[in-house]
Amino acid sequence: MKAMTYDRYGDPDVLQLTEQPMPRVGPGEVRIQVHSAAVNPVDWKLMAGKLDGLMQAVFPVIPGWDVTGTVESVGLDTPEFQVGDEVMAYARKDFVHGGTFAEYVTVPVRAVARKPEGLDWDQAAGLPLAGLTAYQLLSRLGLRQGETVLIHAASGGVGVLGAQIARNLGARVFGTASPRNHEFLRSLDIEPVAYGEGLTETLQALVPEGFDLVADFVGGVLDVTRAVLRDGGRHGSIVDDGVKQADGLYMWVRPSGDELQVLADMAAQGRLEVPVAQTFGLEQLPDAFRLNQTGHVRGKVIVHVRR
Ligand SMILES: NC(=O)c1ccc[n+]([C@@H]2O[C@H](COP(=O)([O-])OP(=O)(O)OC[C@H]3O[C@@H](n4cnc5c(N)ncnc54)[C@H](OP(=O)(O)O)[C@@H]3O)[C@@H](O)[C@H]2O)c1
């Protein structure tokens, strides 16, 4: 099968289109013929070797953890899925090797959800990792209806989903973003605030009683969070482990087919939009990574594997 691979750590120039063996489908796994996959910052952080102390890489590596496609074969004892089912998954494995920027990928069924008919392929590709991250952070912080929430980086891949999930749970949601994204956030019923100088004072003026919950999806904002959180408020980050020293939750997203199904159904009902910034072909993956590396993309960067 064709796949984008790298055989040493580096920047997007190390990526090559190569021929790889078909991944074997083990017990409790399905093999997915990949329709589309999404780029996440973790892909190029892993490729740069920045997470070498955290996860083992087995070269050559096929990067990519987000996938949507069609079940092409099933392993032993996988009654949940049949050949031909349209599915989606956050396909992180225990080591870095057989990812989703390939024609086929195997995934344990516990990480797989059904792609609802009403959800298009691009949205299904962009939802898993980012959506689960946002959902798990807000759930673990115990977000409740009627609370006032601040989302740092509300126009990014994770943040734009987190802000909408918080709205769906009945919260009043403020989100930081560049001014060019403010109108877009308003269209999602999120109250936009420009980040940068004066952010703390602006937020304090908007919500003098303090936020019930603050979710950090960008890092480097702990001082702002502390200044605007009400007494007894909860906060967490997916980037900055320093939050642990400030009674915050630092979280790494876990694969979960069941939770992904909740989000997929929400998206299919039109209650969760996955904005797609740009799409690329498989062999254009280096450009897709470079775009994501700018750190100012609205929503998701999607790679079409099957055309
Ligand atoms: N721990 C985990 O499990 C986990 C899971 C997923 C992601 N992550 C990490 O979380 C981070 C975000 O991921 P992502 O996929 O959402 O990235 P992304 O799609 O690249 O989002 C970047 C967003 O950050 C915004 N931004 C940049 N500087 C900002 C600032 N100072 N204040 C507020 N917003 C700012 C940009 O908004 P503008 O364009 O409006 O400037 C952009 O929309 C990455 O570092 C990623 O590795 C961690």
Side-chain angles (χ1 to χ4, degrees):
M1 66 164 187
K2 287 192 184 357
M4 289 301 286
T5 57
Y6 55 90
D7 55 15
R8 62 184 191 285
Y9 286 138
D11 63 20
D13 292 335
V14 298
L15 285 165
Q16 288 180 308
L17 185 67
T18 58
E19 198 61 38
Q20 295 296 319
M22 272 298 253
R24 211 167 288 170
V25 55
E29 287 188 334
V30 293
R31 187 162 60 200
I32 299 172
Q33 184 176 12
V34 179
H35 186 289
S36 299
V39 177
N40 290 284
V42 73
D43 299 329
W44 43 263
K45 291 181 187 178
L46 286 163
M47 189 175 71
K50 290 194 172 133
L51 304 181
D52 188 62
L54 194 67
M55 287 188 78
Q56 170 101 37
V58 178
F59 296 104
V61 169
I62 303 171
W65 282 349
D66 267 337
V67 64
T68 186
T70 306
V71 174
E72 176 266 350
S73 65
V74 293
L76 281 175
D77 198 16
T78 53
E80 296 93 334
F81 296 99
Q82 314 289 324
V83 171
D85 286 349
E86 293 183 352
V87 294
M88 48 202 283
Y90 163 38
R92 189 187 85 201
K93 313 250 174 86
D94 294 339
F95 56 95
V96 184
H97 177 63
T100 59
F101 294 116
E103 289 182 303
Y104 296 89
V105 65
T106 53
V107 186
V109 290
R110 63 179 178 275
V112 181
R114 287 176 188 285
K115 183 182 88 62
E117 251 180 43
L119 192 64
D120 71 43
W121 291 108
D122 284 351
Q123 302 248 321
L127 184 59
L129 189 155
L132 285 169
T133 304
Y135 183 76
Q136 290 173 7
L137 187 76
L138 296 172
S139 304
R140 286 176 65 180
L141 290 172
L143 176 61
R144 292 186 291 270
Q145 188 173 7
E147 290 195 310
T148 303
V149 174
L150 172 65
I151 304 284
H152 288 290
S155 61
V158 179
V160 75
L161 299 175
Q164 293 176 79
I165 292 166
R167 278 295 297 129
N168 286 340
L169 293 172
R172 181 179 182 195
V173 181
F174 292 81
T176 62
S178 304
R180 68 189 165 82
N181 287 319
H182 286 194
E183 208 38 56
F184 165 67
L185 290 183
R186 276 190 206 102
S187 76
L188 298 172
D189 209 15
I190 296 151
E191 299 174 56
V193 185
Y195 60 80
E197 217 176 304
L199 174 60
T200 300
E201 295 72 21
T202 305
L203 291 168
Q204 285 170 334
L206 286 166
V207 184
E209 66 279 19
F211 288 86
D212 299 304
L213 191 150
V214 178
D216 165 25
F217 296 132
V218 63
V221 291
L222 184 53
D223 288 347
V224 179
T225 296
R226 284 168 124 155
V228 304
L229 199 65
R230 72 161 168 78
D231 281 350
R234 294 97 67 209
H235 71 108
S237 177
I238 59 166
V239 181
D240 186 356
D241 65 359
V243 293
K244 290 189 284 189
Q245 272 82 57
D247 295 324
L249 171 70
Y250 175 64
M251 195 205 79
W252 248 69
V253 57
R254 291 185 183 182
S256 164
D258 291 343
E259 288 178 335
L260 180 56
Q261 196 66 62
V262 172
L263 297 176
D265 293 341
M266 214 185 259
Q269 291 156 12
R271 297 192 298 133
L272 183 59
E273 187 194 330
V274 184
V276 174
Q278 205 171 321
T279 61
F280 293 84
L282 180 60
E283 67 285 1
Q284 296 171 311
L285 187 63
D287 289 334
F289 274 23
R290 285 185 198 104
L291 176 63
N292 191 247
Q293 283 174 328
T294 65
H296 293 283
V297 175
R298 181 199 288 177
K300 300 299 301 181
V301 175
I302 306 293
V303 172
H304 293 165
V305 177
R306 198 169 78 207
R307 300 186 206 196

